[in-house]
Amino acid sequence: MEVVVLVSGRGSNLAALLAAQRDGTLPIRITAVLCDRPAAPALAIARDAGVPTCTLDAAEFDSRVEFDRALFAHISSLAPQLVVLAGFMRIIDASVLTPWLGRMINIHPSLLPKYSGLHTHRRALEAGDPEHGASVHFVTAELDGGPVIAQVAIEVHEDDNTASLAARLLAHEHDLLVASVGLIASGRLRYAIDGPQLDDHALLAPLRLIADRSRRFLSA
Ligand code: GRF
């Protein structure tokens, strides 16, 4: 399966996908990495792996939608089977998204529908949540709002702060993204007209990844 990855920053999720591609656990080929910030460290990760990159500097476009049109024209020219938003920090206009519905996923660091948007770790701590986690979902025009495919949850410790919680979650986030892309690449998970299907049955609730680094789901 040919995959294009969109990034804005650090690139640790991209690195996890590249590592899984390299060691043969993920049947994908990342054909390009697209970025909206010229200084993003993720670009060096892509280049070191020999993956072509393209940076569209958002600052050089007159409007948000013009940037989106240019970005998605480029994605269309690459014709990937799947687009992965891996730390891509922009809201994408509905007009360009619609043709990609069901072929684009995002990783978000919260147990959606809780805490869409930013500062998810801080918000989970402030709410006194006993658990926190990450979600992979199909992308729709609603911010962090498309159908959730899979989640991973970890316990919040009494002495956690934003940094410790984020750091502990990150490894599980990587596993969640790799395992979710694996389900799509193997053809088991797809987006049908009325929502996600796993093995040709409607996915009624998000899959739960076991948070033990095995990359296995509780029931899948
Ligand atoms: C991750 O926490 C991801 O869930 C969120 O942005 C962060 C990106 O991290 N959407 P990285 O760039 O993959 O390291």
Side-chain angles (χ1 to χ4, degrees):
M1 172 170 267
E2 294 199 348
V3 177
V4 165
V5 182
L6 270 53
V7 295
S8 294
R10 178 179 54 183
S12 69
N13 280 285
L14 169 66
L17 290 172
L18 286 166
Q21 171 187 309
R22 204 164 33 235
D23 71 18
T25 50
L26 202 50
I28 63 166
R29 195 165 71 85
I30 297 175
T31 55
V33 169
L34 309 188
C35 185
D36 64 324
R37 293 183 193 168
L43 287 167
I45 294 174
R47 282 190 211 110
D48 288 349
V51 179
T53 63
C54 173
T55 305
L56 294 180
D57 187 351
E60 287 175 7
F61 288 80
D62 286 340
S63 71
R64 196 170 65 80
V65 71
E66 274 178 48
F67 173 88
D68 290 350
R69 283 197 197 117
L71 177 68
F72 277 75
H74 191 62
I75 294 173
S76 294
S77 75
L78 296 165
Q81 289 147 296
L82 182 69
V83 178
V84 177
L85 310 191
F88 186 64
M89 304 304 284
R90 294 179 65 86
I91 297 172
I92 303 167
D93 196 79
S95 61
V96 297
L97 266 188
T98 307
W100 290 90
L101 181 64
R103 293 183 291 158
M104 189 178 319
I105 61 171
N106 179 43
I107 175 122
H108 181 73
S110 81
L111 293 171
L112 291 170
K114 277 189 167 182
Y115 317 131
S116 64
L118 298 174
H119 310 302
T120 58
H121 312 302
R122 192 176 75 206
R123 288 154 75 194
L125 286 171
E126 279 170 4
D129 291 351
E131 61 170 21
H132 183 46
S135 306
V136 169
H137 65 94
F138 284 109
V139 176
T140 61
E142 192 190 337
L143 175 67
D144 301 323
V148 178
I149 298 166
Q151 297 183 313
V152 65
I154 60 168
E155 235 177 77
V156 177
H157 297 165
E158 225 158 79
D159 58 352
D160 262 330
N161 54 40
T162 309
S164 67
L165 187 56
R168 215 167 60 254
L169 181 60
L170 191 63
H172 300 291
E173 233 183 271
H174 297 160
D175 288 344
L176 181 71
L177 184 60
V178 169
S180 301
V181 171
L183 281 182
I184 296 172
S186 67
R188 292 189 61 199
L189 186 92
R190 63 193 183 88
Y191 193 86
I193 193 116
D194 46 3
Q197 294 202 336
L198 179 69
D199 298 332
D200 295 325
H201 297 287
L203 185 67
L204 299 174
L207 296 165
R208 242 330 145 104
L209 193 84
I210 306 167
D212 65 357
R213 308 302 323 274
S214 66
R215 292 189 184 158
R216 283 178 302 131
F217 291 101
L218 260 185
S219 53

